[in-house]
Amino acid sequence: MMHRLNLRDALAGLIFILIGAFFAISTRSIEIGTAFRMGPGYFPLVLSGLLVLIGAAIVLNSLGNGTNESLGSVPWRGLVLVLAGPVVFGLTVRQLGLVPAIVVTSVLAVYASRRSGIFLAAAMAVGLTLFCLAVFSYGLRLPLPLLGPWLRF
């Protein structure tokens, strides 16, 4: 019996596996520790291992769900905006502050979809900002200013 391969899923799974393997290899120079005394490399190693497992599951699932459709066009708008989000956040969080950097990043991510509108962008920006403030500023007490020097009057 011949299996048909879903090329989209297989490529997506392989990308997951490659990214996970890259980060797993990158943790070699960092102390791993144990489950009870975690070192700085423990959590990235576990996450990269999970990414490899998810990728393998996607590749295995693609074996039985084959279609003869082509890969289609690359969604450049989504690709660029989603990849730009973390870069923009990293470049602006110190100077704009945590709140504006999260708002800008979330709006970028929302507009990666062609189906998004201003209401969705505003709701996502407010929701993500409140969540990140609760977790990172109040929960973890990260020393990031809420408003940076570019916005102080």
Side-chain angles (χ1 to χ4, degrees):
M1 182 173 162
M2 183 178 214
H3 290 287
R4 297 184 76 178
L5 178 70
N6 184 332
L7 192 56
R8 278 187 184 176
D9 286 352
L11 287 176
L14 287 174
I15 289 171
F16 280 28
I17 291 170
L18 289 174
I19 292 171
F22 171 77
F23 282 105
I25 291 169
S26 298
T27 61
R28 289 184 312 164
S29 62
I30 305 171
E31 181 186 342
I32 305 289
T34 66
F36 292 109
R37 296 186 71 90
M38 294 179 199
Y42 186 86
F43 193 64
L45 181 63
V46 168
L47 285 181
S48 60
L50 287 173
L51 192 58
V52 168
L53 288 175
I54 290 170
I58 292 171
V59 168
L60 289 175
N61 190 40
S62 73
L63 294 175
N65 299 328
T67 60
N68 286 330
E69 67 184 57
S70 67
L71 288 178
S73 64
V74 176
W76 291 109
R77 173 183 171 171
L79 185 67
V80 169
L81 289 177
V82 167
L83 292 176
V87 173
V88 168
F89 180 80
L91 293 174
T92 60
V93 70
R94 297 266 183 217
Q95 300 303 320
L96 284 178
L98 186 62
V99 172
I102 293 170
V103 169
V104 169
T105 304
S106 62
V107 169
L108 275 176
V110 167
Y111 279 111
S113 171
R114 295 191 190 280
R115 293 180 280 180
S116 63
I118 191 142
F119 177 74
L120 180 62
M124 187 66 73
V126 169
L128 279 175
T129 302
L130 291 175
F131 175 77
C132 289
L133 281 176
V135 171
F136 298 113
S137 187
Y138 300 112
L140 296 174
R141 299 190 191 277
L142 289 180
L144 292 171
L146 298 182
L147 293 175
W150 287 354
L151 298 177
R152 293 197 182 122
F153 301 104

